[in-house]
Amino acid sequence: MWFAAMNLVQVFHCHFNSNFFPLFLDKLLGDSISPQTGSLLLGVSFVAPHINNLYFLALCRRFGVYSVIKWLFYVKLGLSLIMLACGPNWSTLLCFYIASNRVFTEGTCKLLNLIISDLVDEDFVLHNRKQAISALIFGTAALFSKPGQTIAPLLGTWLLAEQTGYSLFYTDDLWSSSTEKRASFHDSTSDTLRWGCFYVLVFVPIVCACLQIFVWTRFKLHGGRLRWVKQMREGRWLLSSEV
């Protein structure tokens, strides 16, 4: 249950970054970086998580997957709080934060498969199964995390509209008959829009990190329990191979 809750939040955050990463680059750094630099950052943000995972895997072998994921949550929270304190006018720091936020979030998503593998081993040992039900557990984890993919763009769009006062999809012409006019999000360059985007950019990771830290501290499959599961799994595998 705790893993499913954490995984749901993580999938939400991954898809939130995927959907709004180009928009944040445009609205927060559009005047500070060239289009070529923006394109480079966009490309790096897709490639870097795969490269970075090589380092994460080395850390996992040394400290354990649970600890690495936990500290990634703390890093996400710490970077977001620092960025919130500095504000959106530090272009270099903001550029680093936007890129690192996506890289670390995607990297965490890729490490979660290792946790699911541990859950498969635990289920195999606890229920004394003859064969592991890997496909069922991986499929169940994917099923419970699916709502995060749908909620991310919907909630992100609503938050941006609330914080900036501009709609992502509507212009004044479409709302001319309404008592409340709505301006176009993409045509505006006001400070209100910039600060609104900034607050959404930093507060979503802060809330996600706090929820994940709270949930992850209650996840028990690590340390001594995980070692016991691995020993039992290996012992049963040796017995079955001898037979």
Side-chain angles (χ1 to χ4, degrees), residues 28-76:
L28 295 174
L29 293 169
D31 297 332
S32 304
I33 60 175
S34 64
Q36 292 78 11
T37 304
S39 300
L40 179 63
L41 279 174
L42 193 59
V44 167
S45 71
F46 284 96
V47 177
H50 299 280
I51 300 174
N52 206 37
N53 260 26
L54 298 175
Y55 177 65
F56 286 161
L57 288 174
L59 291 178
C60 289
R61 283 191 289 269
R62 183 174 180 182
F63 300 106
V65 183
Y66 174 85
S67 296
V68 172
I69 292 176
K70 179 181 69 175
W71 283 109
L72 283 173
F73 292 154
Y74 281 115
V75 168
K76 176 165 65 176

Side-chain angles (χ1 to χ4, degrees), residues 98-206:
I98 293 175
S100 63
N101 181 39
R102 177 170 169 78
V103 169
F104 288 149
T105 303
E106 291 289 337
T108 305
C109 278
K110 298 183 189 318
L111 291 178
L112 295 183
N113 285 335
L114 299 177
I115 298 294
I116 299 176
S117 297
D118 292 338
L119 291 172
V120 171
D121 290 340
E122 183 186 41
D123 175 82
F124 179 82
V125 170
L126 292 180
H127 295 91
N128 198 27
R129 299 188 188 278
K130 295 182 179 179
Q131 187 174 0
I133 52 172
S134 307
L136 178 61
I137 294 178
F138 272 89
T140 303
L143 175 65
F144 283 119
S145 66
K146 279 292 182 182
Q149 299 182 20
T150 305
I151 295 171
L154 297 176
L155 184 59
T157 301
W158 177 77
L159 286 173
L160 285 169
E162 288 295 314
Q163 289 296 318
T164 64
Y166 295 90
S167 171
L168 278 171
F169 302 110
Y170 300 109
T171 63
D172 286 337
D173 293 336
L174 292 175
W175 288 83
S176 57
S177 60
S178 174
T179 56
E180 180 184 355
K181 288 189 175 182
R182 298 195 180 187
S184 172
F185 182 95
H186 302 284
D187 296 336
S188 177
T189 57
S190 67
D191 286 340
T192 302
L193 185 142
R194 191 164 185 267
W195 276 96
C197 288
F198 175 75
Y199 285 137
V200 173
L201 172 68
V202 295
F203 275 116
V204 167
I206 288 173

